[in-house]
Amino acid sequence: MAMERTFSIIKPDATRRNLTGAVTKKLEDAGLSVVASRRVKLTEAQAKKFYEVHAERPFYNDLVSFMTSGPVVVQVLEGENAIAKNREVMGATNPADADAGTIRAEFAESIDANSVHGSDSAENAQIEIAQFFTEDEIVG
Ligand code: IDP
């Protein structure tokens, strides 16, 4: 198995409920190391760019409003098979479909306020990490 890096966001619904530590513990318990982390309030431009692929979807404007509604924690996670492992521990997009024990099953409020983002491919992980971190801010 390959060592990989992936990009994670702890979303505003989770920071608002003081779940930053609880979410991070789930990630760490799954074998993922937090090798970069920063709490930030996304600008509308940053959120729009980040979710550009969903620009034509009906939920795009609501998603951008939600992601700018409060602080988020952007993180780089490192570990073996980190991209798939993170998606596994996050659970399905809709918390109603998420497996027991996953972050979204335990913490998400709804399909939009679903507590976490995680890159879905190696290519997107690289693009997303570069949007928020320089190489020297990542300490493995
Ligand atoms: P993912 O976060 O599980 O990768 P994506 O399909 O990439 O899911 O969608 C990005 C984000 O857009 C989701 O995490 C969720 O916050 C929001 N979203 C996705 N589908 C819906 C929907 O049908 N209604 C409202 N929000 C949605």
Side-chain angles (χ1 to χ4, degrees), residues 11 51 54 57 59 63 66 87 90-93 104 111-114 116-118 120:
K11 294 185 178 183
Y51 280 118
H54 294 309
R57 306 282 284 276
F59 57 82
L63 179 58
F66 167 64
R87 298 286 302 181
M90 286 164 59
T93 308
R104 284 166 166 171
I111 190 169
D112 50 322
N114 61 5
V116 275
H117 165 84
D120 61 4

PDB file of all heavy atoms in Angstrom, residues 11 51 54 57 59 63 66 87 90-93 104 111-114 116-118 120, ligand 1:
ATOM      1  N   LYS A  11     -16.127  20.959   8.482  1.00  0.00           N
ATOM      2  CA  LYS A  11     -17.055  21.985   7.963  1.00  0.00           C
ATOM      3  C   LYS A  11     -17.686  22.809   9.098  1.00  0.00           C
ATOM      4  O   LYS A  11     -17.617  22.429  10.281  1.00  0.00           O
ATOM      5  CB  LYS A  11     -18.135  21.285   7.134  1.00  0.00           C
ATOM      6  CG  LYS A  11     -17.600  20.630   5.853  1.00  0.00           C
ATOM      7  CD  LYS A  11     -18.738  20.067   5.004  1.00  0.00           C
ATOM      8  CE  LYS A  11     -18.235  19.460   3.722  1.00  0.00           C
ATOM      9  NZ  LYS A  11     -19.361  18.968   2.868  1.00  0.00           N
ATOM     10  N   TYR A  51     -15.555  24.385  -4.844  1.00  0.00           N
ATOM     11  CA  TYR A  51     -16.665  23.523  -5.278  1.00  0.00           C
ATOM     12  C   TYR A  51     -17.088  23.776  -6.729  1.00  0.00           C
ATOM     13  O   TYR A  51     -18.207  23.436  -7.104  1.00  0.00           O
ATOM     14  CB  TYR A  51     -17.849  23.685  -4.325  1.00  0.00           C
ATOM     15  CG  TYR A  51     -17.697  22.872  -3.045  1.00  0.00           C
ATOM     16  CD1 TYR A  51     -17.634  23.484  -1.808  1.00  0.00           C
ATOM     17  CD2 TYR A  51     -17.617  21.474  -3.087  1.00  0.00           C
ATOM     18  CE1 TYR A  51     -17.492  22.735  -0.635  1.00  0.00           C
ATOM     19  CE2 TYR A  51     -17.473  20.728  -1.938  1.00  0.00           C
ATOM     20  CZ  TYR A  51     -17.411  21.358  -0.712  1.00  0.00           C
ATOM     21  OH  TYR A  51     -17.283  20.596   0.432  1.00  0.00           O
ATOM     22  N   HIS A  54     -19.204  21.573  -8.899  1.00  0.00           N
ATOM     23  CA  HIS A  54     -20.646  21.474  -8.629  1.00  0.00           C
ATOM     24  C   HIS A  54     -21.406  22.731  -9.065  1.00  0.00           C
ATOM     25  O   HIS A  54     -22.581  22.887  -8.727  1.00  0.00           O
ATOM     26  CB  HIS A  54     -20.893  21.248  -7.135  1.00  0.00           C
ATOM     27  CG  HIS A  54     -20.386  19.927  -6.630  1.00  0.00           C
ATOM     28  ND1 HIS A  54     -20.693  18.727  -7.229  1.00  0.00           N
ATOM     29  CD2 HIS A  54     -19.582  19.619  -5.583  1.00  0.00           C
ATOM     30  CE1 HIS A  54     -20.107  17.735  -6.568  1.00  0.00           C
ATOM     31  NE2 HIS A  54     -19.422  18.246  -5.577  1.00  0.00           N
ATOM     32  N   ARG A  57     -24.889  22.416 -10.278  1.00  0.00           N
ATOM     33  CA  ARG A  57     -25.830  21.628  -9.468  1.00  0.00           C
ATOM     34  C   ARG A  57     -26.790  22.563  -8.718  1.00  0.00           C
ATOM     35  O   ARG A  57     -26.420  23.678  -8.352  1.00  0.00           O
ATOM     36  CB  ARG A  57     -25.080  20.759  -8.446  1.00  0.00           C
ATOM     37  CG  ARG A  57     -23.996  19.863  -9.053  1.00  0.00           C
ATOM     38  CD  ARG A  57     -24.539  18.634  -9.728  1.00  0.00           C
ATOM     39  NE  ARG A  57     -24.952  17.634  -8.754  1.00  0.00           N
ATOM     40  CZ  ARG A  57     -24.125  16.749  -8.181  1.00  0.00           C
ATOM     41  NH1 ARG A  57     -22.827  16.776  -8.458  1.00  0.00           N
ATOM     42  NH2 ARG A  57     -24.588  15.859  -7.345  1.00  0.00           N
ATOM     43  N   PHE A  59     -27.764  22.600  -5.761  1.00  0.00           N
ATOM     44  CA  PHE A  59     -27.412  22.910  -4.368  1.00  0.00           C
ATOM     45  C   PHE A  59     -26.158  23.789  -4.255  1.00  0.00           C
ATOM     46  O   PHE A  59     -25.721  24.100  -3.149  1.00  0.00           O
ATOM     47  CB  PHE A  59     -27.229  21.624  -3.546  1.00  0.00           C
ATOM     48  CG  PHE A  59     -26.193  20.672  -4.088  1.00  0.00           C
ATOM     49  CD1 PHE A  59     -24.843  20.850  -3.819  1.00  0.00           C
ATOM     50  CD2 PHE A  59     -26.565  19.578  -4.854  1.00  0.00           C
ATOM     51  CE1 PHE A  59     -23.875  19.981  -4.312  1.00  0.00           C
ATOM     52  CE2 PHE A  59     -25.610  18.691  -5.356  1.00  0.00           C
ATOM     53  CZ  PHE A  59     -24.264  18.902  -5.080  1.00  0.00           C
ATOM     54  N   LEU A  63     -24.573  25.446  -0.906  1.00  0.00           N
ATOM     55  CA  LEU A  63     -23.319  24.842  -0.440  1.00  0.00           C
ATOM     56  C   LEU A  63     -22.278  25.934  -0.169  1.00  0.00           C
ATOM     57  O   LEU A  63     -21.606  25.918   0.879  1.00  0.00           O
ATOM     58  CB  LEU A  63     -22.818  23.847  -1.497  1.00  0.00           C
ATOM     59  CG  LEU A  63     -21.500  23.129  -1.215  1.00  0.00           C
ATOM     60  CD1 LEU A  63     -21.551  22.337   0.081  1.00  0.00           C
ATOM     61  CD2 LEU A  63     -21.152  22.190  -2.386  1.00  0.00           C
ATOM     62  N   PHE A  66     -23.279  27.806   2.951  1.00  0.00           N
ATOM     63  CA  PHE A  66     -22.987  26.997   4.140  1.00  0.00           C
ATOM     64  C   PHE A  66     -21.495  26.994   4.458  1.00  0.00           C
ATOM     65  O   PHE A  66     -21.092  27.196   5.614  1.00  0.00           O
ATOM     66  CB  PHE A  66     -23.506  25.567   3.938  1.00  0.00           C
ATOM     67  CG  PHE A  66     -22.984  24.597   4.953  1.00  0.00           C
ATOM     68  CD1 PHE A  66     -23.293  24.741   6.298  1.00  0.00           C
ATOM     69  CD2 PHE A  66     -22.152  23.547   4.574  1.00  0.00           C
ATOM     70  CE1 PHE A  66     -22.786  23.859   7.248  1.00  0.00           C
ATOM     71  CE2 PHE A  66     -21.651  22.662   5.514  1.00  0.00           C
ATOM     72  CZ  PHE A  66     -21.966  22.821   6.861  1.00  0.00           C
ATOM     73  N   ARG A  87     -12.134   8.568   3.014  1.00  0.00           N
ATOM     74  CA  ARG A  87     -13.515   8.470   2.507  1.00  0.00           C
ATOM     75  C   ARG A  87     -14.292   7.435   3.317  1.00  0.00           C
ATOM     76  O   ARG A  87     -15.478   7.609   3.593  1.00  0.00           O
ATOM     77  CB  ARG A  87     -13.517   8.064   1.021  1.00  0.00           C
ATOM     78  CG  ARG A  87     -12.833   9.044   0.090  1.00  0.00           C
ATOM     79  CD  ARG A  87     -13.600  10.292  -0.164  1.00  0.00           C
ATOM     80  NE  ARG A  87     -14.914  10.071  -0.713  1.00  0.00           N
ATOM     81  CZ  ARG A  87     -15.760  11.048  -1.042  1.00  0.00           C
ATOM     82  NH1 ARG A  87     -15.418  12.322  -0.870  1.00  0.00           N
ATOM     83  NH2 ARG A  87     -16.950  10.782  -1.522  1.00  0.00           N
ATOM     84  N   MET A  90     -15.120   8.907   6.749  1.00  0.00           N
ATOM     85  CA  MET A  90     -16.117   9.981   6.611  1.00  0.00           C
ATOM     86  C   MET A  90     -17.535   9.412   6.533  1.00  0.00           C
ATOM     87  O   MET A  90     -18.465   9.974   7.094  1.00  0.00           O
ATOM     88  CB  MET A  90     -15.872  10.769   5.304  1.00  0.00           C
ATOM     89  CG  MET A  90     -14.687  11.694   5.323  1.00  0.00           C
ATOM     90  SD  MET A  90     -14.230  12.188   3.639  1.00  0.00           S
ATOM     91  CE  MET A  90     -15.731  12.952   3.059  1.00  0.00           C
ATOM     92  N   GLY A  91     -17.721   8.358   5.762  1.00  0.00           N
ATOM     93  CA  GLY A  91     -19.052   7.807   5.516  1.00  0.00           C
ATOM     94  C   GLY A  91     -19.722   8.480   4.324  1.00  0.00           C
ATOM     95  O   GLY A  91     -19.200   9.440   3.766  1.00  0.00           O
ATOM     96  N   ALA A  92     -20.896   7.970   3.956  1.00  0.00           N
ATOM     97  CA  ALA A  92     -21.595   8.446   2.757  1.00  0.00           C
ATOM     98  C   ALA A  92     -21.985   9.919   2.892  1.00  0.00           C
ATOM     99  O   ALA A  92     -22.206  10.411   4.005  1.00  0.00           O
ATOM    100  CB  ALA A  92     -22.833   7.597   2.511  1.00  0.00           C
ATOM    101  N   THR A  93     -22.102  10.599   1.729  1.00  0.00           N
ATOM    102  CA  THR A  93     -22.446  12.033   1.685  1.00  0.00           C
ATOM    103  C   THR A  93     -23.689  12.333   2.514  1.00  0.00           C
ATOM    104  O   THR A  93     -23.726  13.289   3.286  1.00  0.00           O
ATOM    105  CB  THR A  93     -22.683  12.467   0.218  1.00  0.00           C
ATOM    106  OG1 THR A  93     -21.566  12.061  -0.566  1.00  0.00           O
ATOM    107  CG2 THR A  93     -22.867  13.972   0.115  1.00  0.00           C
ATOM    108  N   ARG A 104     -19.765  10.945   9.534  1.00  0.00           N
ATOM    109  CA  ARG A 104     -21.058  11.513   9.141  1.00  0.00           C
ATOM    110  C   ARG A 104     -22.217  10.830   9.869  1.00  0.00           C
ATOM    111  O   ARG A 104     -23.196  11.485  10.232  1.00  0.00           O
ATOM    112  CB  ARG A 104     -21.206  11.464   7.624  1.00  0.00           C
ATOM    113  CG  ARG A 104     -20.363  12.555   6.954  1.00  0.00           C
ATOM    114  CD  ARG A 104     -20.211  12.348   5.482  1.00  0.00           C
ATOM    115  NE  ARG A 104     -19.694  13.540   4.797  1.00  0.00           N
ATOM    116  CZ  ARG A 104     -19.308  13.541   3.534  1.00  0.00           C
ATOM    117  NH1 ARG A 104     -19.355  12.435   2.814  1.00  0.00           N
ATOM    118  NH2 ARG A 104     -18.864  14.659   2.973  1.00  0.00           N
ATOM    119  N   ILE A 111     -27.596  16.261   4.687  1.00  0.00           N
ATOM    120  CA  ILE A 111     -26.763  15.975   3.502  1.00  0.00           C
ATOM    121  C   ILE A 111     -25.846  17.155   3.161  1.00  0.00           C
ATOM    122  O   ILE A 111     -24.752  16.963   2.643  1.00  0.00           O
ATOM    123  CB  ILE A 111     -27.622  15.576   2.279  1.00  0.00           C
ATOM    124  CG1 ILE A 111     -26.739  15.051   1.141  1.00  0.00           C
ATOM    125  CG2 ILE A 111     -28.505  16.708   1.813  1.00  0.00           C
ATOM    126  CD1 ILE A 111     -27.489  14.389   0.001  1.00  0.00           C
ATOM    127  N   ASP A 112     -26.263  18.381   3.471  1.00  0.00           N
ATOM    128  CA  ASP A 112     -25.378  19.519   3.179  1.00  0.00           C
ATOM    129  C   ASP A 112     -24.474  19.846   4.373  1.00  0.00           C
ATOM    130  O   ASP A 112     -23.283  20.062   4.209  1.00  0.00           O
ATOM    131  CB  ASP A 112     -26.160  20.748   2.696  1.00  0.00           C
ATOM    132  CG  ASP A 112     -27.326  21.088   3.590  1.00  0.00           C
ATOM    133  OD1 ASP A 112     -27.982  20.148   4.074  1.00  0.00           O
ATOM    134  OD2 ASP A 112     -27.584  22.284   3.817  1.00  0.00           O
ATOM    135  N   ALA A 113     -25.059  19.848   5.575  1.00  0.00           N
ATOM    136  CA  ALA A 113     -24.242  20.114   6.780  1.00  0.00           C
ATOM    137  C   ALA A 113     -23.700  18.778   7.271  1.00  0.00           C
ATOM    138  O   ALA A 113     -24.105  18.242   8.311  1.00  0.00           O
ATOM    139  CB  ALA A 113     -25.077  20.806   7.844  1.00  0.00           C
ATOM    140  N   ASN A 114     -22.759  18.236   6.477  1.00  0.00           N
ATOM    141  CA  ASN A 114     -22.333  16.857   6.747  1.00  0.00           C
ATOM    142  C   ASN A 114     -20.900  16.745   7.312  1.00  0.00           C
ATOM    143  O   ASN A 114     -20.213  15.745   7.127  1.00  0.00           O
ATOM    144  CB  ASN A 114     -22.534  15.974   5.507  1.00  0.00           C
ATOM    145  CG  ASN A 114     -21.734  16.443   4.322  1.00  0.00           C
ATOM    146  OD1 ASN A 114     -20.942  17.377   4.425  1.00  0.00           O
ATOM    147  ND2 ASN A 114     -21.920  15.787   3.188  1.00  0.00           N
ATOM    148  N   VAL A 116     -17.790  17.003   7.215  1.00  0.00           N
ATOM    149  CA  VAL A 116     -16.441  16.854   6.652  1.00  0.00           C
ATOM    150  C   VAL A 116     -16.435  16.822   5.130  1.00  0.00           C
ATOM    151  O   VAL A 116     -17.411  16.394   4.497  1.00  0.00           O
ATOM    152  CB  VAL A 116     -15.732  15.550   7.137  1.00  0.00           C
ATOM    153  CG1 VAL A 116     -15.047  15.737   8.472  1.00  0.00           C
ATOM    154  CG2 VAL A 116     -16.666  14.358   7.131  1.00  0.00           C
ATOM    155  N   HIS A 117     -15.317  17.258   4.582  1.00  0.00           N
ATOM    156  CA  HIS A 117     -14.984  17.042   3.173  1.00  0.00           C
ATOM    157  C   HIS A 117     -13.733  16.176   3.120  1.00  0.00           C
ATOM    158  O   HIS A 117     -12.857  16.318   3.977  1.00  0.00           O
ATOM    159  CB  HIS A 117     -14.687  18.372   2.462  1.00  0.00           C
ATOM    160  CG  HIS A 117     -13.996  18.172   1.147  1.00  0.00           C
ATOM    161  ND1 HIS A 117     -14.694  17.902  -0.010  1.00  0.00           N
ATOM    162  CD2 HIS A 117     -12.676  18.128   0.821  1.00  0.00           C
ATOM    163  CE1 HIS A 117     -13.823  17.710  -0.996  1.00  0.00           C
ATOM    164  NE2 HIS A 117     -12.591  17.843  -0.515  1.00  0.00           N
ATOM    165  N   GLY A 118     -13.642  15.331   2.107  1.00  0.00           N
ATOM    166  CA  GLY A 118     -12.400  14.604   1.848  1.00  0.00           C
ATOM    167  C   GLY A 118     -12.215  14.417   0.353  1.00  0.00           C
ATOM    168  O   GLY A 118     -13.184  14.119  -0.361  1.00  0.00           O
ATOM    169  N   ASP A 120     -11.634  13.020  -3.298  1.00  0.00           N
ATOM    170  CA  ASP A 120     -12.141  11.747  -3.827  1.00  0.00           C
ATOM    171  C   ASP A 120     -11.177  11.067  -4.799  1.00  0.00           C
ATOM    172  O   ASP A 120     -11.484   9.993  -5.317  1.00  0.00           O
ATOM    173  CB  ASP A 120     -13.527  11.935  -4.460  1.00  0.00           C
ATOM    174  CG  ASP A 120     -13.493  12.906  -5.637  1.00  0.00           C
ATOM    175  OD1 ASP A 120     -12.391  13.375  -5.998  1.00  0.00           O
ATOM    176  OD2 ASP A 120     -14.571  13.187  -6.193  1.00  0.00           O
TER     177      ASP A 120
HETATM  178  P1  IDP B   1     -18.749  14.296  -0.870  1.00  0.00           P
HETATM  179  O1  IDP B   1     -18.540  15.478   0.036  1.00  0.00           O
HETATM  180  O2  IDP B   1     -19.251  13.082  -0.117  1.00  0.00           O
HETATM  181  O3  IDP B   1     -17.561  14.003  -1.752  1.00  0.00           O
HETATM  182  P2  IDP B   1     -20.046  15.477  -3.207  1.00  0.00           P
HETATM  183  O4  IDP B   1     -21.028  14.769  -4.095  1.00  0.00           O
HETATM  184  O5  IDP B   1     -18.699  15.795  -3.755  1.00  0.00           O
HETATM  185  O6  IDP B   1     -19.960  14.666  -1.833  1.00  0.00           O
HETATM  186  O7  IDP B   1     -20.770  16.836  -2.786  1.00  0.00           O
HETATM  187  C1  IDP B   1     -20.061  17.870  -2.169  1.00  0.00           C
HETATM  188  C2  IDP B   1     -20.869  18.426  -1.023  1.00  0.00           C
HETATM  189  O8  IDP B   1     -22.036  19.053  -1.561  1.00  0.00           O
HETATM  190  C3  IDP B   1     -21.418  17.387  -0.048  1.00  0.00           C
HETATM  191  O9  IDP B   1     -20.494  17.002   0.938  1.00  0.00           O
HETATM  192  C4  IDP B   1     -22.602  18.107   0.552  1.00  0.00           C
HETATM  193  O10 IDP B   1     -22.180  19.023   1.549  1.00  0.00           O
HETATM  194  C5  IDP B   1     -23.130  18.874  -0.647  1.00  0.00           C
HETATM  195  N1  IDP B   1     -24.191  18.116  -1.338  1.00  0.00           N
HETATM  196  C6  IDP B   1     -24.032  17.062  -2.145  1.00  0.00           C
HETATM  197  N2  IDP B   1     -25.216  16.612  -2.615  1.00  0.00           N
HETATM  198  C7  IDP B   1     -26.139  17.427  -2.066  1.00  0.00           C
HETATM  199  C8  IDP B   1     -27.557  17.503  -2.191  1.00  0.00           C
HETATM  200  O11 IDP B   1     -28.215  16.716  -2.885  1.00  0.00           O
HETATM  201  N3  IDP B   1     -28.166  18.487  -1.473  1.00  0.00           N
HETATM  202  C9  IDP B   1     -27.471  19.381  -0.706  1.00  0.00           C
HETATM  203  N4  IDP B   1     -26.121  19.350  -0.587  1.00  0.00           N
HETATM  204  C10 IDP B   1     -25.460  18.392  -1.259  1.00  0.00           C
END
